[in-house]
Amino acid sequence: MVFTSRILTLTILFLFAAFTQSCGPRLSSEAQEFLSTSVEVPECTTAFTYTDSINVSAHAKFFKRTTEPVIVDNKIKNMILSDPIADSLPIPYAEVAIYTEGTKQLVQCGMTDFDGNLTSLSGGALTIPDTPQSYIIRVYARANVQMPNKGFMANAAVKEDPYTNKVYYLEDTFTSDGVATTPIELIAYARQTDDVNIKGGAFNIYNNFIQAYTYLDENLSVPDAELTCLSTKFSMYWKAGFNPVQYEYPSSDPQTLDNTSYYKSDTDSFYITGGQLGDISLSNTDHFDDFASIHEMGHFIEDQCGRFDTPGGLHSIIVRMDGRLVWHEAWANYLAAVVTNTRQDFLNPELATKLTNGTTGDLSWSFLFNSIGFSDSVQNVGNGTGFMMDLKKPGTSPGEWQIAPYFGVAFDQVNPTLYPGEGHFREGAITRALFKMSTPSASVCSSCGSAVFASSTVTFDSMWQAFDAQGGMGDSTNHFSSSNQFLENLKTLITPATWSSFVKGAADAEALQLFSDNNIGSAGLKYTQVVSGTTHLNWVPIGHKLVQAACSKPTVILPRTDDPGFTGVNSDQRYSNHFYMLDPSTLVGLNSISVTFQYLSGTSTDHDLIIYEEGYRFNGDYSCDTTENEDGSCPTNNYVPSRTTNSWVVASNRAAAATLNTSYTKTISNLAVKLDPAKKYMLNIRAYTPSKSLSNATAYKYSMSSNLGTLCPQ
C-alpha cells in the first residue's frame, strides 16, 4: 500500500450538510438494475442502428471553482479556491447511454467529443428510434477511448467509493415526438447550493485525467508500442465531504486522521479527498485542485510505465528525506506542473487569462499548489487558504510555507556550494530542477531573476525516455530509484556535451550535482575531499553498486545533526547515511561484511550497518514512547531514541561501539543464508545521531571488507 501524503492535518470546525440518496429504478449502461454492487457498472459499448431514427442534440459540461491568485506587492504569494468559473468547461471523451424512461431499455450508446458534444461511438450523430416517448440520457465520468496520435487508451472512471464502485454520471429526461428533440444540456455544478453532491468535482477530476493523457498523446514521440502501458484501467475515487484515509484505517477516530489524497499501487487507483467529516468549506479538498489529482495520476503513470519503488509515507518539502520517496514525489509534481502549464486553457481558462494578462510578471502556470477550504461571494464564505510553491524561483530563495504547521519555513531551500548533492534528497529541489530543464523561462516569467533554467530546454519526450521502462531508469536492470539515476540517464540520452553546455547548470543550481560529474578528476569536484593529502570520496548515490575490487579512493562519511523538522524519520539522508546496492549474484559466496571506521575530526559518533530488502522502508532512529495509533502516528507525539530494526531488515549490526574517538569495526555475518542471489539488497552505513548535537566538522573515514576481499563502489 502506498500513501503519497502532503501532510495537511486540519481541525474540523463544522459539518457539511448530510447527503441523501434518491430512490427509484437504477440503471446501468447495460440496463441492469441494482441497489448496490462491488462491481463497476459495465461500459456502454453497443452502437444501435435503426431503420427510422432521429438525432439527439446534446452537450455535457461542468463547472469548477477557480483558483484565485493572492497578490501582495505585485507578486503572487499564494492562491485560494474561489467562486465557480463563469463559463463552463466541456466534458470530453465521456461515455453516453440513453434509455427509455418507462421500461429502462437501453436504446443507444455514445460518447462526447473533445468539446463535450454528444456523438455516436464512431463520432457521428447520436440517434434514437423515431418512436414518440420519453428517454433518460446519461453522461458518465468514465472513458475508454483511443487517443488520436499515439493510440494508447484513456481508460478510467471516477467513482464514489471502492465498495459500490458507482461511477458518477449526469442525467436528464427528455421527450421525443418522433420527429425531433429539443437540444439538451447536461451540467455538473461546483457550488453545493446548486448540487449537494458537487458533481462538478467528479467531472473536474475526470477532466484532469483526460487533459493529462492528451498532454502525453501530444508530447511523446516514442514508438506507439512503448506506450501501451498507459492503457491500463485506472480507478479514481472521490466523495464530497469524505476523507479517503478512512478507508485505510476504519477503526481510527476520523477526526484524528491525516486528510489527504493518495495513490494505491496494488489496485491501480487513487483516492482524492473531498473534505473531512462532511466539511468542505474549511478542510483540505482536492477535487478542484488540478495539480493534486494530476500529481496522483503521475504516480499511476510511473507505476505502469516506469519503476515505482517508493516507500510511501509523509513528505513535507522542508527536510532532506529518503531519496526514493522524494524522487517519486518530485516526478509526480513535475508531471502535474507541465500538464497544468500546457493544458491550462482546458483546465481553467480564467486563471490562464489572469496569469497571461496580469502585472506580476507571471506568464503561465509554474506552481505546486494545494488548497484548503474555499471562499465564495454568493455563499458569503471566506475560508479559502492553501500553500503554493513557485517552481520558477531559485533553490537558494524558493519561498516559504504560507500556513501552519510550517508557516515561514522555506520550501526545500538548498545551498549548492555548502551542501552539494543535498537536492537529491529534497522533493522541492528535484521538482524545480525538472521543471526548469524542460520549460523555457520566457514562457513562465517576464523576468526570472537569479533562477537558472536550461539554456536549451529538454523535450518532455527525452524526460520520458530517461524515466520509462524501455531503456530508462524503469528498466528491469535498474534498482533503487533516485534523481541521480534519472539525471545520469538523461545526460546519456541527450549526450554529455549537451548536458554540460545547456542543462547541467539547472541541476547544479538545485544542488543536484551528478555523481559522474564530481567523483573523478582534480578540480572543482563536489563529492571528493582531501584528507591528509589523499583524495577521498565523501558521497555515493543511493544504491550505487558495491563490487569486490581495490578502491580507487577511500571514503569518508560526514554525519550531521538530525533535522528536527520530521521527528522519527529524520536521520540526515545526505550526510549521515551512505547507501550501497548489494548484488549476491555478482558477489558470489558473500558471507560477511566488515566496515572499519576511523575518527578524523569533530564529534565522536557511532555507526551502524543495516541491510534492507529491495522495496524497504527506512527505519528511523526514534520510536514512539507509547503504542502507536492504527495509522502509525504517535498519540503523544513524543519520540525517543531507538536502535531497532523493522521487517525489511534482513541483517544488521546496531551494537554500540566503544572506541568512537579512534577506530572501531562493525561486522555482519552469516549472509550466505540471509541473502537470496535472485534479489538485490541495500547496505545502509549509518551514523547513529538521535538526540545528539554534532559539529559540522565531524568526519569518519571507513573501509569495507568481506570474506571475498575488499569492497568498493563500482
Side-chain angles (χ1 to χ4, degrees), residues 455-518:
S455 54
S456 179
T457 53
V458 180
T459 65
F460 181 78
D461 194 64
S462 293
M463 302 289 273
W464 178 273
Q465 291 182 63
F467 129 95
D468 73 6
Q470 308 296 325
M473 67 182 293
D475 189 283
S476 60
T477 60
N478 294 317
H479 303 270
F480 305 110
S481 298
S482 70
S483 56
N484 187 84
Q485 187 180 104
F486 171 82
L487 294 175
E488 293 283 10
N489 283 349
L490 183 65
K491 174 183 174 180
T492 300
L493 182 68
I494 64 176
T495 74
T498 298
W499 167 265
S500 296
S501 298
F502 304 111
V503 185
K504 180 175 178 291
D508 289 356
E510 291 288 353
L512 290 163
Q513 294 96 339
L514 275 189
F515 186 67
S516 63
D517 293 336
N518 289 283

Side-chain angles (χ1 to χ4, degrees), residues 390-703:
D390 191 342
L391 303 180
K392 62 182 176 289
K393 286 191 173 184
T396 53
S397 183
E400 302 170 340
W401 276 80
Q402 300 91 13
I403 58 172
Y406 305 120
F407 182 83
V409 179
F411 286 120
D412 270 340
Q413 186 175 25
V414 296
N415 189 323
T417 303
L418 291 180
Y419 307 116
E422 69 164 324
H424 293 297
F425 301 90
R426 291 190 180 275
E427 174 186 343
I430 302 169
T431 304
R432 291 188 297 260
L434 297 182
F435 185 77
K436 290 168 187 164
M437 287 176 187
S438 62
T439 306
S441 61
S443 71
V444 293
C445 41
S446 56
S447 176
C448 294
S450 61
V452 180
F453 284 71
S455 54
S456 179
T457 53
V458 180
T459 65
F460 181 78
D461 194 64
S462 293
M463 302 289 273
W464 178 273
Q465 291 182 63
F467 129 95
D468 73 6
Q470 308 296 325
M473 67 182 293
D475 189 283
S476 60
T477 60
N478 294 317
H479 303 270
F480 305 110
S481 298
S482 70
S483 56
N484 187 84
Q485 187 180 104
F486 171 82
L487 294 175
E488 293 283 10
N489 283 349
L490 183 65
K491 174 183 174 180
T492 300
L493 182 68
I494 64 176
T495 74
T498 298
W499 167 265
S500 296
S501 298
F502 304 111
V503 185
K504 180 175 178 291
D508 289 356
E510 291 288 353
L512 290 163
Q513 294 96 339
L514 275 189
F515 186 67
S516 63
D517 293 336
N518 289 283
N519 74 93
I520 56 175
S522 58
L525 302 181
K526 302 300 182 182
Y527 301 138
T528 65
Q529 65 188 69
V530 176
V531 178
S532 300
T534 301
T535 300
H536 290 60
L537 275 177
N538 62 27
W539 182 72
V540 292
I542 305 163
H544 200 77
K545 189 175 182 179
L546 279 183
V547 295
Q548 193 275 305
C551 299
S552 60
K553 294 185 184 72
T555 308
V556 294
I557 188 169
L558 310 170
R560 294 293 182 266
T561 303
D562 292 348
D563 193 314
F566 236 30
T567 302
V569 291
N570 54 5
S571 176
D572 192 312
Q573 299 284 300
R574 162 63 177 90
Y575 285 98
S576 297
N577 295 268
H578 284 180
F579 298 94
Y580 297 97
M581 184 177 75
L582 290 176
D583 184 354
S585 68
T586 57
L587 294 172
V588 179
L590 180 67
N591 191 51
S592 66
I593 295 175
S594 295
V595 181
T596 297
F597 298 90
Q598 179 182 340
Y599 173 84
L600 296 177
S601 60
T603 307
S604 297
T605 306
D606 204 351
H607 293 76
D608 293 338
L609 309 182
I610 304 171
I611 299 178
Y612 293 104
E613 288 187 303
E614 192 166 5
Y616 71 92
R617 175 164 290 186
F618 183 87
N619 68 287
D621 293 333
Y622 300 83
S623 61
C624 181
D625 66 354
T626 188
T627 303
E628 292 182 342
N629 294 322
E630 181 188 20
D631 63 354
S633 60
C634 182
T636 61
N637 200 33
N638 186 37
Y639 292 85
V640 295
S642 175
R643 216 164 187 168
T644 58
T645 58
N646 60 26
S647 60
W648 284 275
V649 175
V650 297
S652 66
N653 186 333
R654 306 208 71 182
T659 53
L660 303 184
N661 60 346
T662 53
S663 66
Y664 55 92
T665 300
K666 296 286 183 77
T667 299
I668 301 179
S669 303
N670 299 318
L671 295 179
V673 297
K674 296 177 181 178
L675 305 184
D676 183 343
K679 296 181 178 180
K680 305 297 184 289
Y681 299 87
M682 185 76 89
L683 171 62
N684 176 202
I685 297 178
R686 184 189 307 180
Y688 187 64
T689 57
S691 300
K692 190 171 185 176
S693 179
L694 277 70
S695 162
N696 283 344
T698 302
Y700 276 77
K701 174 182 176 180
Y702 67 84
S703 59

Side-chain angles (χ1 to χ4, degrees), residues 8-28:
L8 295 173
T9 306
L10 304 173
T11 302
I12 305 307
L13 300 182
F14 63 87
L15 299 181
F16 182 48
F19 297 107
T20 59
Q21 180 71 37
S22 61
C23 300
R26 309 293 183 115
L27 298 175
S28 77

Side-chain angles (χ1 to χ4, degrees), residues 695-712:
S695 162
N696 283 344
T698 302
Y700 276 77
K701 174 182 176 180
Y702 67 84
S703 59
M704 296 176 281
S705 62
S706 72
N707 62 299
L708 303 177
T710 301
L711 298 179
C712 283

